[in-house]
Amino acid sequence: MEKQKFTKMALLFLSFSSLIAISRGIVSNRIGINYGHLGNNLPSPARSIELLGNMSVGRVKLYDADHDILNLLSGKDIEVAITVANDEISGIAANQHLADQWVYEHVLAHYPSTRIRFLLVGHEVFSSISTPADLQIARDLVPAIRRIKSTIKAQGIRNIKIGTPLAMDMMETTFPPSNGSFKPEVREFMGPLLRYLNGTKSFFFVDVYPYITWFESQVWNQTAINLDFALLRSGNESYTDPKTGLVYTNLLDQMLDSVVYAMAKLGYNDVMLAIGETGWPHEGESGANRENAAEYNNNLVRKMSAVPTIGTPARPGEVIPTFIFSMYDENQKYGPATERHWGLLNPDGSPVYEVNITSGV
Ligand SMILES: *[C@@H]1O[C@H](CO)[C@@H](O)[C@H](O)[C@H]1NC(C)=O
Ligand SMILES: *[C@@H]1O[C@H](CO)[C@@H](O)[C@H](O)[C@H]1NC(C)=O
Ligand SMILES: *[C@@H]1O[C@H](CO)[C@@H](O)[C@H](O)[C@H]1NC(C)=O
Ligand SMILES: *[C@@H]1O[C@H](CO)[C@@H](O)[C@H](O)[C@H]1NC(C)=O
Ligand SMILES: *[C@@H]1O[C@H](CO)[C@@H](O)[C@H](O)[C@H]1NC(C)=O
Ligand SMILES: *[C@@H]1O[C@H](CO)[C@@H](O)[C@H](O)[C@H]1NC(C)=O
């Protein structure tokens, strides 16, 4: 009974939000999830796609463009983001034929029955510029994006946006939000990227983790950030940016707007934002537990799928496509334990904690 009622409400909500999306002529505000599979204990792709359906996920982001997974998503009411691997970027940048081949293999073989809507070139390519090869990939990013765009355009495809997800370590300063600026060493790459995104009305994808900023504020023992503020818990905690006078009630908005102001400094005032990854770990270091993870993700869903759309203080009412990190814990990822505990689902497909993906309003 309960379940039926919930499904009905979810359906109602979904049709309402799709209507909004159509009337605004832009993207929907249905919540997405990252489906990474760096684990040796995870459900099969077929079972995973079924689980996505059961969770009423609106979008899924893949860190690759796996043929089987894209086949399984065919005919599903789920928008898909696919990714070109970092080590494919330089080849594609140098050779239109390789761009054509990539698009034929990974897009045209599945589109339009698989609703590919975002094509992401690389993953956080400005985050690890330590070798000459990394530097080359950073330089080749926009040329590769342009080649892929040229193939997509030649095919007459208009509803796939091309972009690249970047991590917040691209920022020199994020606080106050109005003071946001990119690191000097990435500015030479940002200009061409923003020119492309602005010219094609695409999204600036940011991987943004209030957890990490909150955690570091504890470790460095600076002015520690209030946990409620980081968890998107609506309380009485707020911050007024001294320059803009905008009032912030959560850390996520501050971080997003710092990117808005960093772009504005380079002359780009209206490149739209998307969140490639965000989430909260349910196990690991301090603050990483199920209660906090459930709080953050449920608040996030509520905020990002609200009708009418909320946006951020600097971008009121803007739809910000959002992908939660992540579907599963991935036991083959490197790094500290926290890195492997961001999943919403256990290996057997049961929820780690309850998240209502459709509980928007
Ligand atoms: C999805 O939900 C249906 C209906 O509740 C259920 O029968 C099925 O087992 C679920 N699928 C998975 C993979 O859990
Ligand atoms: C803004 O950021 C710069 C560094 O980029 C810093 O020196 C300055 O103090 C910041 N301004 C404010 C008001 O915090
Ligand atoms: C961004 O694109 C708009 C057209 O949509 C254009 O008018 C504007 O000049 C562009 N901004 C920059 C900095 O190139
Ligand atoms: C952190 O700050 C508190 C009070 O401001 C101080 O007592 C404590 O020693 C500091 N810890 C470290 C590791 O600096
Ligand atoms: C914020 O809330 C706390 C308790 O919830 C209360 O003690 C405090 O006075 C409030 N502060 C403001 C500025 O309203
Ligand atoms: C999720 O939705 C169900 C059914 O409407 C409700 O019982 C539950 O409390 C919700 N959970 C959260 C965390 O909002």
Side-chain angles (χ1 to χ4, degrees), residues 198 201 267-268:
N198 183 57
K201 300 206 186 312
Y268 295 91

Side-chain angles (χ1 to χ4, degrees), residues 342-359:
W342 296 77
L344 300 185
L345 302 180
N346 291 305
D348 67 1
S350 63
V352 177
Y353 49 87
E354 204 182 344
V355 179
N356 283 342
I357 297 284
T358 49
S359 77

